[in-house]
Amino acid sequence: MRVLVVGGGGREHALVRALARSPQRPEVLCAPGNAGIAADARLLDVGAGDVDALVAAARDEAVDLVVVGPEVPLVAGLADALGEAGVRTFGPNAAAARLEGSKAFAKEIMAAAGVPTAAARQVETVDDGLAAVTGYPTVLKADGLAAGKGVVIAEDEEAARGALEDMLVARRFGETSVLVEEFLEGEELSVLALCDGERAVPMAPAQDYKRIFDGDAGPNTGGMGSYSPVPAVDDDRAREICRTVHQPVLDELARRGTPFHGVLYAGLMMTADGPKVLEFNVRFGDPETQAILPRLEVDLLPLLEAAGVPGGLALGRFHRRVLSSRTVRRWSW
Ligand code: AMP
Ligand code: GLY
């Protein structure tokens, strides 16, 4: 069995290591990987964003399963292209990956699926944006992919105007619309669920360190470190979140003819009114994956394979142990 992991960061290293310890003893390749990953996988000199070259490499190397780390190639249609070439892939097609690629689309799906989230309005001008603010602080989100940096929490009108001009006039993120969103308060955490198009199976929750400075201050980063387990969410709570957040989204996407296969990452705020979704990602979190996968008690490889088959995760009983993971006190694989 030959598995190709696409990407070159800490998340992909965690995936490579989790796959390498499978009892199935797969040969693990990584494109492009990095100097650390080279110790655990054979590297291919192909960029993670080069869809055509990745398809060619997967064919040339007779890869049995491609596991896609980052969002950019998924939104660009890597899973579709690999599927057309007859290569099995872990990760959603471009239509389902819009959940991360467009925050406005994610809001539309959540509204249709009845999933709790912050109230939001989509605007295209600075004046409309300011008019849509219902109170400060307010949250401004550029619509497209921005590597976790396209979100500004504005404390007053001056800050909101500056951020809206940056996004809509200077087009800092290349987008033409912004979501003006209600500010939510509470503890923030992530619940990732493996999805086979029909069924969502939760993994152990994780939290990451978002703000750039000590004391949770300063602008958001994409996450600079993470931990799991999360004391605030036990297994029952995580199952409940999966039932009320991931599963309805999966059902709605299936109903629209674009079933979601892969891992659906829900970024959540635990508000006084219950968990509300901040964002969806259509891939493993970075750095959450580095905290979650070492805790997994079951073999990751058959789980990733099962996610490609409608109903695949319902087969067997192994999925029951995906959530109840061991506590790893030291990094000692
Ligand atoms: P996002 O990319 O949408 O997850 O936003 C990045 C970060 O901004 C989140 O991880 C939160 O820390 C923060 N954030 C996003 N939306 C909100 C909100 N509605 N209320 C408070 N904080 C938010
Ligand atoms: N750590 C946040 C993310 O992966 O998007």
Side-chain angles (χ1 to χ4, degrees), residues 132-178:
V133 175
T134 51
Y136 290 95
T138 190
V139 185
L140 305 167
K141 299 186 174 182
D143 187 34
L145 291 180
K149 296 163 195 76
V151 175
V152 171
I153 296 171
E155 298 291 341
D156 54 31
E157 186 174 329
E158 192 188 336
R161 182 181 295 280
L164 285 165
E165 283 174 352
D166 199 26
M167 291 175 188
L168 290 171
V169 182
R171 297 268 165 87
R172 174 145 171 239
F173 301 101
E175 299 298 331
T176 56
S177 75
V178 165

Side-chain angles (χ1 to χ4, degrees), residues 208 210 222 265 281 283 285-288:
D208 69 353
K210 288 242 187 277
Y265 166 133
N281 295 320
R283 47 154 179 92
D286 191 350
E288 291 87 343

